Amino acid sequence: MNYKIAVIPGDGIGPEIVKEAKKVLIEIGEKFGHSFDFTEVLLGGASIDVHGVPLTDEAITTARNNDAVLMGSIGGNTATSPWYKLPPEKRPEAGLLKLRKSLNLFANLRPAVLYNELKGACPLKDEIIGDGFDMMIMRELTGGLYFGERKTVEEDGVMTAYDSLTYNENEIRRIAKRGFDIAMKRGKKVTSVDKANVLDSSRLWRKVVDEVAKEYPEVSYEHMLVDNCAMQLVKDPKQFDVILTENMFGDILSDEASMVTGSIGMLASASLNDTKFGLYEPSHGSAPDIAGMDVANPIATILSAAMMLRYSFDLDKEADLIEAAVKEVLKAGYRTGDILSEGKTKVGTKEMGTLIVDMIKKG
Ligand code: NAD
């Protein structure tokens, strides 16, 4: 089968890490008889340099006309790059926000995985982490507090600010369905996180999640209050499979979960709309401090490509093989600088990509 992928190399380390992910996809294509057509799209600083804007209308159309988007990361050094002398709406990040909005990406997926081989990077105690953990935070991305009505008023010399947190049942239903769908492809467990003891929006969230859960009898699910979830993530992260939550809670919990893994260069992410289409990118930024030095860890981007195969193309076997190859390469002792520990073999970006490709060939 043929799949069309829009590729956004982006800025900083973006082009280097995307190149390695493409190498992996090409190998998967050869092994399983698929072909991947890659069309390059400019976004962020790279687009500003060529077109004067961080995202053109043509770039949006190209992204839309593909089956999925694979992205590196965008942005430069915010203190020194000339891109940040531009007004906010012309800066690199504005292009990414516009692209996400244009593509209707409402579901954000951030896996937080602690590999047995990288346990040393985890700030938690050994008895808590056991053999590692593997959870997926599913965050609603287009509603809630960040998109509600807001205002600041002054009355009798006192300033008061308002931000409203609004969700309608359709917005909740579509993200909940996505969460349960994802759980069906994983450990079949959903923890829906809210603050239903205080917020009306959370009580509606709970009611709709209860309704959606009935359509997925194979998935076990529970509700958890967000403050408890924040504690449980450091007390017993192994208990989680899919954490399903609204925008702000997801923003905070996904950062907490990623810090618990201790390895920013390993964390993939995806943003999905209500079709099979998705945008796949590492959780980290463009790391301008190490750009062009062949030291960046390409694994987060390679694992994002694996997510693309699993969630946009339903190629689960192929995704499994990439994830297994990453684990095997780590087991064999190879590390980029960011995850290096004593006694391990240091490799660069390209070599890490090649090692994973070779492992896929063997697998
Ligand atoms: P960052 O994630 O780029 O870097 C933080 C630290 O982690 C740096 O020391 C960096 O060298 C290191 N690091 C990040 N990824 C790595 C990798 N794959 N391998 C090895 N080390 C890695 O965050 P930042 O420095 O705050 O931001 C840099 C730029 O990235 C900014 O312009 C920011 O706006 C942008 N950014 C973009 C995205 C995105 O494209 N979605 C996300 C976050 C930040």
Side-chain angles (χ1 to χ4, degrees):
M1 182 116 170
N2 176 262
Y3 300 93
K4 293 189 297 172
I5 302 170
V7 175
I8 301 176
D11 308 316
I13 58 172
E16 297 166 68
I17 53 183
V18 161
K19 199 167 168 196
E20 300 314 305
K22 275 173 72 179
K23 253 163 62 176
V24 166
L25 285 173
I26 291 166
E27 180 56 37
I28 286 286
E30 277 173 18
K31 198 170 173 92
F32 289 88
H34 309 301
S35 62
F36 298 108
D37 289 343
F38 300 108
T39 306
E40 212 161 279
V41 174
L42 293 181
L43 174 69
S47 174
I48 296 173
D49 290 347
V50 176
H51 302 294
V53 289
L55 180 71
T56 61
D57 290 343
E58 294 77 56
I60 298 174
T61 309
T62 308
R64 230 185 238 134
N65 288 341
N66 279 269
D67 300 320
V69 180
L70 177 67
M71 192 178 115
S73 41
I74 54 118
N77 182 319
T78 49
T80 57
S81 163
W83 301 327
Y84 295 90
K85 302 212 165 36
L86 296 166
E89 69 280 6
K90 295 222 165 127
R91 291 181 193 167
E93 288 71 17
L96 181 55
L97 291 178
K98 186 173 171 191
L99 183 66
R100 285 194 180 128
K101 196 162 177 218
S102 312
L103 298 173
N104 245 329
L105 304 170
F106 68 86
N108 183 237
L109 269 79
R110 273 175 68 176
V113 182
L114 179 65
Y115 295 93
N116 202 15
E117 291 73 24
L118 299 181
K119 276 193 329 199
C122 177
L124 303 178
K125 287 187 188 148
D126 273 358
E127 59 263 36
I128 292 178
I129 51 186
D131 290 339
F133 50 80
D134 177 352
M135 73 181 96
M136 178 75 83
I137 312 250
M138 178 93 179
R139 165 189 172 196
E140 202 287 331
L141 207 54
T142 58
L145 201 60
Y146 298 168
F147 292 91
E149 206 178 302
R150 64 185 90 255
K151 64 179 174 186
T152 305
V153 294
E154 187 179 345
E155 217 173 295
D156 301 330
V158 179
M159 305 279 279
T160 305
Y162 301 85
D163 296 284
S164 51
L165 198 179
T166 314
Y167 271 108
N168 71 43
E169 58 179 304
N170 299 332
E171 291 170 317
I172 301 171
R173 190 164 288 110
R174 67 178 185 175
I175 186 83
K177 277 177 180 271
R178 266 302 163 104
F180 280 82
D181 284 340
I182 301 288
M184 284 295 288
K185 279 184 175 263
R186 296 175 41 97
K188 299 193 176 155
K189 181 179 175 198
V190 170
T191 304
S192 174
V193 173
D194 60 36
K195 188 72 182 167
N197 52 344
V198 179
L199 302 175
D200 261 11
S201 55
S202 283
R203 286 189 274 269
L204 181 62
W205 180 278
R206 218 171 248 223
K207 180 173 173 284
V208 175
V209 171
D210 282 340
E211 285 165 19
V212 170
K214 290 196 183 95
E215 296 167 34
Y216 298 84
E218 279 181 64
V219 177
S220 71
Y221 86 106
E222 62 183 347
H223 297 289
M224 190 178 278
L225 295 175
V226 61
D227 37 354
N228 184 25
C229 184
M231 286 192 287
Q232 295 298 330
L233 276 173
V234 290
K235 198 171 158 221
D236 182 17
K238 290 194 301 299
Q239 70 182 286
F240 295 112
D241 177 24
V242 173
I243 292 180
L244 167 68
T245 192
E246 58 96 80
N247 202 342
M248 182 180 60
F249 298 158
D251 188 9
I252 298 166
L253 294 177
S254 59
D255 269 10
E256 184 188 353
S258 66
M259 286 324 290
V260 170
T261 71
S263 316
I264 192 171
M266 299 289 299
L267 298 172
S269 89
S271 304
L272 311 176
N273 67 17
D274 51 11
T275 68
K276 282 279 170 193
F277 186 90
L279 182 142
Y280 298 84
E281 58 177 320
S283 288
H284 58 73
S286 61
D289 52 328
I290 54 166
M293 294 162 69
D294 192 37
V295 298
N297 187 347
I299 294 180
T301 317
I302 290 170
L303 292 174
S304 301
M307 286 181 82
M308 178 173 73
L309 299 184
R310 191 184 305 284
Y311 297 119
S312 280
F313 305 157
D314 281 323
L315 299 176
D316 290 36
K317 254 194 328 282
E318 291 80 343
D320 287 346
L321 183 56
I322 296 176
E323 288 163 3
V326 167
K327 277 189 197 152
E328 285 304 316
V329 168
L330 293 176
K331 212 184 265 175
Y334 297 104
R335 305 279 190 275
T336 45
D338 57 313
I339 50 172
L340 190 63
S341 56
E342 223 181 293
K344 304 299 175 195
T345 310
K346 187 172 180 182
V347 297
T349 311
K350 286 192 211 117
E351 197 179 347
M352 180 55 92
T354 303
L355 284 163
I356 294 168
V357 166
D358 290 345
M359 202 56 88
I360 290 170
K361 271 193 191 129
K362 278 195 225 158

